[in-house]
mmCIF file of all heavy atoms in Angstrom:
data_model
loop_
_atom_site.group_PDB
_atom_site.id
_atom_site.type_symbol
_atom_site.label_atom_id
_atom_site.label_comp_id
_atom_site.label_asym_id
_atom_site.label_seq_id
_atom_site.Cartn_x
_atom_site.Cartn_y
_atom_site.Cartn_z
ATOM 1 N N LEU A 63 111.930 69.229 116.186
ATOM 2 C CA LEU A 63 112.619 70.377 115.457
ATOM 3 C C LEU A 63 112.329 70.148 113.846
ATOM 4 O O LEU A 63 111.892 71.243 113.203
ATOM 5 C CB LEU A 63 114.033 70.392 115.744
ATOM 6 C CG LEU A 63 114.418 70.845 117.105
ATOM 7 C CD1 LEU A 63 115.946 70.677 117.231
ATOM 8 C CD2 LEU A 63 113.897 72.226 117.506
ATOM 9 N N SER A 64 112.595 68.987 113.432
ATOM 10 C CA SER A 64 112.291 68.766 112.000
ATOM 11 C C SER A 64 110.929 68.855 111.434
ATOM 12 O O SER A 64 110.603 69.390 110.405
ATOM 13 C CB SER A 64 112.906 67.349 111.593
ATOM 14 O OG SER A 64 114.216 67.171 111.920
ATOM 15 N N SER A 65 109.986 68.445 112.410
ATOM 16 C CA SER A 65 108.586 68.444 111.867
ATOM 17 C C SER A 65 107.875 69.901 112.037
ATOM 18 O O SER A 65 107.067 70.250 111.267
ATOM 19 C CB SER A 65 107.699 67.521 112.752
ATOM 20 O OG SER A 65 108.208 66.203 112.582
ATOM 21 N N TYR A 66 108.294 70.626 113.057
ATOM 22 C CA TYR A 66 107.544 71.884 113.357
ATOM 23 C C TYR A 66 108.391 73.122 113.187
ATOM 24 O O TYR A 66 108.059 73.967 112.550
ATOM 25 C CB TYR A 66 106.966 71.806 114.650
ATOM 26 C CG TYR A 66 105.986 70.750 114.888
ATOM 27 C CD1 TYR A 66 106.311 69.514 115.585
ATOM 28 C CD2 TYR A 66 104.712 70.832 114.273
ATOM 29 C CE1 TYR A 66 105.417 68.476 115.649
ATOM 30 C CE2 TYR A 66 103.834 69.702 114.369
ATOM 31 C CZ TYR A 66 104.259 68.595 115.065
ATOM 32 O OH TYR A 66 103.290 67.565 115.243
ATOM 33 N N LEU A 67 109.608 73.199 113.810
ATOM 34 C CA LEU A 67 110.326 74.409 113.915
ATOM 35 C C LEU A 67 111.234 74.706 112.669
ATOM 36 O O LEU A 67 111.163 75.781 112.186
ATOM 37 C CB LEU A 67 111.235 74.368 115.137
ATOM 38 C CG LEU A 67 110.485 74.336 116.501
ATOM 39 C CD1 LEU A 67 111.503 74.490 117.657
ATOM 40 C CD2 LEU A 67 109.450 75.460 116.694
ATOM 41 N N PHE A 68 111.764 73.669 112.130
ATOM 42 C CA PHE A 68 112.437 73.762 110.874
ATOM 43 C C PHE A 68 111.722 74.220 109.680
ATOM 44 O O PHE A 68 112.064 75.361 109.034
ATOM 45 C CB PHE A 68 113.374 72.585 110.406
ATOM 46 C CG PHE A 68 114.702 72.719 110.997
ATOM 47 C CD1 PHE A 68 115.155 71.715 112.006
ATOM 48 C CD2 PHE A 68 115.744 73.471 110.475
ATOM 49 C CE1 PHE A 68 116.419 71.720 112.464
ATOM 50 C CE2 PHE A 68 117.012 73.464 110.966
ATOM 51 C CZ PHE A 68 117.299 72.560 111.904
ATOM 52 N N PRO A 69 110.532 73.778 109.535
ATOM 53 C CA PRO A 69 109.655 74.262 108.473
ATOM 54 C C PRO A 69 109.197 75.739 108.677
ATOM 55 O O PRO A 69 109.260 76.611 107.767
ATOM 56 C CB PRO A 69 108.415 73.374 108.442
ATOM 57 C CG PRO A 69 108.986 72.184 108.927
ATOM 58 C CD PRO A 69 109.905 72.568 109.948
ATOM 59 N N ALA A 70 108.856 76.152 109.904
ATOM 60 C CA ALA A 70 108.579 77.506 110.220
ATOM 61 C C ALA A 70 109.787 78.327 109.951
ATOM 62 O O ALA A 70 109.608 79.558 109.509
ATOM 63 C CB ALA A 70 108.097 77.585 111.636
ATOM 64 N N ALA A 71 111.044 78.035 110.341
ATOM 65 C CA ALA A 71 112.277 78.805 110.313
ATOM 66 C C ALA A 71 112.549 78.961 108.740
ATOM 67 O O ALA A 71 112.975 79.981 108.336
ATOM 68 C CB ALA A 71 113.415 78.189 110.915
ATOM 69 N N HIS A 72 112.281 77.917 107.978
ATOM 70 C CA HIS A 72 112.577 77.921 106.516
ATOM 71 C C HIS A 72 111.539 78.934 105.909
ATOM 72 O O HIS A 72 111.855 79.793 104.893
ATOM 73 C CB HIS A 72 112.532 76.697 105.784
ATOM 74 C CG HIS A 72 113.784 75.929 105.855
ATOM 75 N ND1 HIS A 72 114.044 74.891 106.810
ATOM 76 C CD2 HIS A 72 114.927 76.101 105.265
ATOM 77 C CE1 HIS A 72 115.188 74.457 106.646
ATOM 78 N NE2 HIS A 72 115.675 75.042 105.688
ATOM 79 N N TRP A 73 110.372 78.893 106.306
ATOM 80 C CA TRP A 73 109.242 79.773 105.875
ATOM 81 C C TRP A 73 109.732 81.253 106.112
ATOM 82 O O TRP A 73 109.573 82.108 105.206
ATOM 83 C CB TRP A 73 107.982 79.536 106.415
ATOM 84 C CG TRP A 73 106.818 80.404 105.981
ATOM 85 C CD1 TRP A 73 106.021 80.246 104.917
ATOM 86 C CD2 TRP A 73 106.444 81.804 106.370
ATOM 87 N NE1 TRP A 73 105.197 81.288 104.635
ATOM 88 C CE2 TRP A 73 105.388 82.304 105.666
ATOM 89 C CE3 TRP A 73 106.844 82.490 107.504
ATOM 90 C CZ2 TRP A 73 104.787 83.408 105.901
ATOM 91 C CZ3 TRP A 73 106.286 83.748 107.776
ATOM 92 C CH2 TRP A 73 105.240 84.182 106.827
ATOM 93 N N LEU A 74 110.311 81.622 107.246
ATOM 94 C CA LEU A 74 110.653 82.933 107.626
ATOM 95 C C LEU A 74 111.835 83.346 106.702
ATOM 96 O O LEU A 74 111.884 84.506 106.244
ATOM 97 C CB LEU A 74 111.185 83.043 109.014
ATOM 98 C CG LEU A 74 110.265 83.338 110.028
ATOM 99 C CD1 LEU A 74 111.060 83.277 111.391
ATOM 100 C CD2 LEU A 74 109.610 84.730 109.901
ATOM 101 N N VAL A 75 112.757 82.511 106.202
ATOM 102 C CA VAL A 75 113.871 82.723 105.271
ATOM 103 C C VAL A 75 113.154 83.098 104.033
ATOM 104 O O VAL A 75 113.661 83.978 103.334
ATOM 105 C CB VAL A 75 114.751 81.561 105.237
ATOM 106 C CG1 VAL A 75 115.806 81.757 104.131
ATOM 107 C CG2 VAL A 75 115.608 81.462 106.535
ATOM 108 N N PHE A 76 112.309 82.332 103.467
ATOM 109 C CA PHE A 76 111.663 82.577 102.211
ATOM 110 C C PHE A 76 110.836 83.962 102.257
ATOM 111 O O PHE A 76 110.786 84.698 101.324
ATOM 112 C CB PHE A 76 110.753 81.457 101.796
ATOM 113 C CG PHE A 76 111.468 80.191 101.526
ATOM 114 C CD1 PHE A 76 110.912 79.030 102.061
ATOM 115 C CD2 PHE A 76 112.740 80.131 100.885
ATOM 116 C CE1 PHE A 76 111.602 77.800 101.790
ATOM 117 C CE2 PHE A 76 113.383 78.941 100.729
ATOM 118 C CZ PHE A 76 112.825 77.778 101.093
ATOM 119 N N PHE A 77 110.298 84.159 103.310
ATOM 120 C CA PHE A 77 109.471 85.410 103.645
ATOM 121 C C PHE A 77 110.405 86.671 103.452
ATOM 122 O O PHE A 77 109.871 87.545 102.941
ATOM 123 C CB PHE A 77 108.839 85.335 105.000
ATOM 124 C CG PHE A 77 108.244 86.695 105.524
ATOM 125 C CD1 PHE A 77 107.072 87.090 105.078
ATOM 126 C CD2 PHE A 77 109.045 87.536 106.386
ATOM 127 C CE1 PHE A 77 106.551 88.296 105.485
ATOM 128 C CE2 PHE A 77 108.480 88.748 106.844
ATOM 129 C CZ PHE A 77 107.157 89.076 106.371
ATOM 130 N N ASN A 78 111.640 86.394 103.900
ATOM 131 C CA ASN A 78 112.544 87.578 103.700
ATOM 132 C C ASN A 78 112.677 87.909 102.269
ATOM 133 O O ASN A 78 112.709 89.150 101.918
ATOM 134 C CB ASN A 78 113.752 87.160 104.508
ATOM 135 C CG ASN A 78 114.848 88.324 104.146
ATOM 136 O OD1 ASN A 78 116.019 88.006 103.599
ATOM 137 N ND2 ASN A 78 114.767 89.398 104.886
ATOM 138 N N SER A 79 112.845 87.012 101.406
ATOM 139 C CA SER A 79 113.076 87.256 99.972
ATOM 140 C C SER A 79 111.775 87.915 99.375
ATOM 141 O O SER A 79 111.935 88.777 98.637
ATOM 142 C CB SER A 79 113.446 85.958 99.253
ATOM 143 O OG SER A 79 114.651 85.400 99.629
ATOM 144 N N GLY A 80 110.582 87.462 99.801
ATOM 145 C CA GLY A 80 109.458 87.882 99.327
ATOM 146 C C GLY A 80 109.027 89.259 99.927
ATOM 147 O O GLY A 80 108.414 90.062 99.267
ATOM 148 N N VAL A 81 109.403 89.610 101.145
ATOM 149 C CA VAL A 81 109.020 90.857 101.645
ATOM 150 C C VAL A 81 109.935 92.038 101.306
ATOM 151 O O VAL A 81 109.498 93.235 101.283
ATOM 152 C CB VAL A 81 108.927 90.840 103.273
ATOM 153 C CG1 VAL A 81 110.365 90.874 103.895
ATOM 154 C CG2 VAL A 81 108.003 91.807 103.836
ATOM 155 N N ASN A 82 111.181 91.912 100.795
ATOM 156 C CA ASN A 82 112.036 92.923 100.373
ATOM 157 C C ASN A 82 111.424 93.792 99.333
ATOM 158 O O ASN A 82 111.400 95.089 99.413
ATOM 159 C CB ASN A 82 113.429 92.341 100.005
ATOM 160 C CG ASN A 82 114.256 92.112 101.158
ATOM 161 O OD1 ASN A 82 114.008 92.572 102.294
ATOM 162 N ND2 ASN A 82 115.325 91.356 101.005
ATOM 163 N N PRO A 83 110.794 93.177 98.237
ATOM 164 C CA PRO A 83 110.216 94.162 97.322
ATOM 165 C C PRO A 83 109.151 94.948 97.926
ATOM 166 O O PRO A 83 108.875 96.152 97.447
ATOM 167 C CB PRO A 83 109.729 93.221 96.211
ATOM 168 C CG PRO A 83 110.566 91.935 96.358
ATOM 169 C CD PRO A 83 110.852 91.895 97.764
ATOM 170 N N ILE A 84 108.419 94.288 98.763
ATOM 171 C CA ILE A 84 107.315 95.062 99.465
ATOM 172 C C ILE A 84 107.873 96.208 100.243
ATOM 173 O O ILE A 84 107.302 97.511 100.215
ATOM 174 C CB ILE A 84 106.384 94.180 100.251
ATOM 175 C CG1 ILE A 84 105.724 93.261 99.443
ATOM 176 C CG2 ILE A 84 105.520 94.928 101.152
ATOM 177 C CD1 ILE A 84 105.140 92.045 100.154
ATOM 178 N N ILE A 85 108.917 96.019 100.938
ATOM 179 C CA ILE A 85 109.548 97.118 101.739
ATOM 180 C C ILE A 85 110.104 98.278 100.788
ATOM 181 O O ILE A 85 109.840 99.449 101.095
ATOM 182 C CB ILE A 85 110.703 96.612 102.607
ATOM 183 C CG1 ILE A 85 110.266 95.647 103.676
ATOM 184 C CG2 ILE A 85 111.585 97.633 103.257
ATOM 185 C CD1 ILE A 85 111.351 94.808 104.445
ATOM 186 N N TYR A 86 110.733 97.828 99.709
ATOM 187 C CA TYR A 86 111.199 98.818 98.904
ATOM 188 C C TYR A 86 110.073 99.645 98.219
ATOM 189 O O TYR A 86 110.152 100.871 98.102
ATOM 190 C CB TYR A 86 112.019 98.195 97.575
ATOM 191 C CG TYR A 86 113.264 97.505 98.189
ATOM 192 C CD1 TYR A 86 113.670 96.296 97.674
ATOM 193 C CD2 TYR A 86 114.086 98.135 99.021
ATOM 194 C CE1 TYR A 86 114.820 95.638 98.029
ATOM 195 C CE2 TYR A 86 115.402 97.481 99.426
ATOM 196 C CZ TYR A 86 115.747 96.369 98.869
ATOM 197 O OH TYR A 86 116.800 95.640 99.278
ATOM 198 N N GLY A 87 108.950 98.907 97.899
ATOM 199 C CA GLY A 87 107.763 99.563 97.354
ATOM 200 C C GLY A 87 107.194 100.574 98.340
ATOM 201 O O GLY A 87 106.704 101.682 98.018
ATOM 202 N N PHE A 88 107.050 100.096 99.588
ATOM 203 C CA PHE A 88 106.428 100.838 100.638
ATOM 204 C C PHE A 88 107.189 102.262 100.817
ATOM 205 O O PHE A 88 106.404 103.339 101.038
ATOM 206 C CB PHE A 88 106.337 100.168 101.958
ATOM 207 C CG PHE A 88 105.783 100.972 103.004
ATOM 208 C CD1 PHE A 88 104.378 101.050 103.200
ATOM 209 C CD2 PHE A 88 106.557 101.491 104.065
ATOM 210 C CE1 PHE A 88 103.750 101.770 104.200
ATOM 211 C CE2 PHE A 88 105.944 102.189 105.078
ATOM 212 C CZ PHE A 88 104.523 102.273 105.132
ATOM 213 N N PHE A 89 108.434 102.195 100.684
ATOM 214 C CA PHE A 89 109.209 103.440 100.960
ATOM 215 C C PHE A 89 109.448 104.170 99.629
ATOM 216 O O PHE A 89 110.189 105.314 99.782
ATOM 217 C CB PHE A 89 110.459 103.125 101.650
ATOM 218 C CG PHE A 89 110.340 102.826 103.149
ATOM 219 C CD1 PHE A 89 110.339 101.496 103.457
ATOM 220 C CD2 PHE A 89 110.210 103.780 104.077
ATOM 221 C CE1 PHE A 89 110.262 101.151 104.856
ATOM 222 C CE2 PHE A 89 110.082 103.410 105.543
ATOM 223 C CZ PHE A 89 110.053 102.141 105.799
ATOM 224 N N ASN A 90 108.984 103.856 98.569
ATOM 225 C CA ASN A 90 109.242 104.366 97.288
ATOM 226 C C ASN A 90 107.884 105.135 96.820
ATOM 227 O O ASN A 90 106.954 104.413 96.464
ATOM 228 C CB ASN A 90 109.779 103.385 96.209
ATOM 229 C CG ASN A 90 110.110 104.009 95.014
ATOM 230 O OD1 ASN A 90 109.406 104.944 94.371
ATOM 231 N ND2 ASN A 90 111.142 103.512 94.424
ATOM 232 N N GLU A 91 108.078 106.427 96.791
ATOM 233 C CA GLU A 91 106.808 107.230 96.416
ATOM 234 C C GLU A 91 106.306 107.007 94.930
ATOM 235 O O GLU A 91 105.134 106.867 94.660
ATOM 236 C CB GLU A 91 107.086 108.706 96.551
ATOM 237 C CG GLU A 91 107.197 109.096 98.014
ATOM 238 C CD GLU A 91 107.593 110.576 98.311
ATOM 239 O OE1 GLU A 91 107.496 111.349 97.306
ATOM 240 O OE2 GLU A 91 107.891 110.988 99.325
ATOM 241 N N ASN A 92 107.220 106.820 93.997
ATOM 242 C CA ASN A 92 106.952 106.493 92.732
ATOM 243 C C ASN A 92 106.201 105.123 92.587
ATOM 244 O O ASN A 92 105.234 105.007 91.846
ATOM 245 C CB ASN A 92 108.220 106.418 91.766
ATOM 246 C CG ASN A 92 108.928 107.662 91.493
ATOM 247 O OD1 ASN A 92 108.154 108.701 91.665
ATOM 248 N ND2 ASN A 92 110.127 107.749 91.318
ATOM 249 N N PHE A 93 106.609 104.184 93.441
ATOM 250 C CA PHE A 93 105.847 102.894 93.295
ATOM 251 C C PHE A 93 104.468 102.955 93.897
ATOM 252 O O PHE A 93 103.542 102.421 93.383
ATOM 253 C CB PHE A 93 106.703 101.885 94.178
ATOM 254 C CG PHE A 93 106.016 100.456 94.316
ATOM 255 C CD1 PHE A 93 106.189 99.488 93.395
ATOM 256 C CD2 PHE A 93 105.270 100.217 95.395
ATOM 257 C CE1 PHE A 93 105.437 98.395 93.389
ATOM 258 C CE2 PHE A 93 104.596 98.918 95.461
ATOM 259 C CZ PHE A 93 104.705 98.154 94.438
ATOM 260 N N GLN A 94 104.439 103.744 95.028
ATOM 261 C CA GLN A 94 103.132 104.088 95.747
ATOM 262 C C GLN A 94 102.090 104.723 94.801
ATOM 263 O O GLN A 94 100.936 104.390 94.644
ATOM 264 C CB GLN A 94 103.270 104.932 97.007
ATOM 265 C CG GLN A 94 103.994 104.131 98.027
ATOM 266 C CD GLN A 94 104.283 105.013 99.190
ATOM 267 O OE1 GLN A 94 104.005 106.157 99.315
ATOM 268 N NE2 GLN A 94 105.020 104.391 100.167
ATOM 269 N N ARG A 95 102.723 105.812 93.933
ATOM 270 C CA ARG A 95 101.747 106.329 92.967
ATOM 271 C C ARG A 95 101.301 105.453 91.887
ATOM 272 O O ARG A 95 100.170 105.599 91.495
ATOM 273 C CB ARG A 95 102.427 107.582 92.481
ATOM 274 C CG ARG A 95 102.364 108.971 93.408
ATOM 275 C CD ARG A 95 102.862 110.012 92.752
ATOM 276 N NE ARG A 95 104.204 110.050 92.344
ATOM 277 C CZ ARG A 95 105.369 110.545 93.113
ATOM 278 N NH1 ARG A 95 105.058 111.016 94.166
ATOM 279 N NH2 ARG A 95 106.502 110.417 92.562
ATOM 280 N N GLY A 96 102.195 104.668 91.336
ATOM 281 C CA GLY A 96 101.881 103.716 90.396
ATOM 282 C C GLY A 96 100.878 102.686 90.876
ATOM 283 O O GLY A 96 99.970 102.266 90.119
ATOM 284 N N PHE A 97 101.065 102.216 92.117
ATOM 285 C CA PHE A 97 100.141 101.276 92.712
ATOM 286 C C PHE A 97 98.690 101.866 92.824
ATOM 287 O O PHE A 97 97.734 101.204 92.545
ATOM 288 C CB PHE A 97 100.747 100.783 93.942
ATOM 289 C CG PHE A 97 99.982 99.597 94.655
ATOM 290 C CD1 PHE A 97 99.986 98.320 94.110
ATOM 291 C CD2 PHE A 97 99.098 99.827 95.615
ATOM 292 C CE1 PHE A 97 99.189 97.205 94.614
ATOM 293 C CE2 PHE A 97 98.281 98.889 96.219
ATOM 294 C CZ PHE A 97 98.470 97.513 95.706
ATOM 295 N N GLN A 98 98.714 103.089 93.280
ATOM 296 C CA GLN A 98 97.407 103.748 93.467
ATOM 297 C C GLN A 98 96.666 104.028 92.126
ATOM 298 O O GLN A 98 95.526 103.830 91.963
ATOM 299 C CB GLN A 98 97.672 105.009 94.147
ATOM 300 C CG GLN A 98 97.907 104.842 95.676
ATOM 301 C CD GLN A 98 98.213 106.190 96.375
ATOM 302 O OE1 GLN A 98 98.552 107.240 95.671
ATOM 303 N NE2 GLN A 98 98.366 106.067 97.785
#
């Protein structure tokens, strides 16, 4: 668990923080226009 599963589970937690701005941006038309 310590060698394989816990690191993957922690990665998912960090992924959550990193993916939230992407989700907000994906659903925000102003962000999409600015990105384009």
Side-chain angles (χ1 to χ4, degrees):
L63 291 177
S64 298
S65 299
Y66 300 104
L67 297 183
F68 267 108
H72 277 101
W73 182 88
L74 272 175
V75 169
F76 297 138
F77 169 79
N78 177 244
S79 297
V81 79
N82 278 342
I84 295 168
I85 292 171
Y86 295 136
F88 178 77
F89 286 99
N90 185 316
E91 291 176 11
N92 291 335
F93 179 84
Q94 291 172 5
R95 281 193 294 269
F97 186 76
Q98 288 171 350

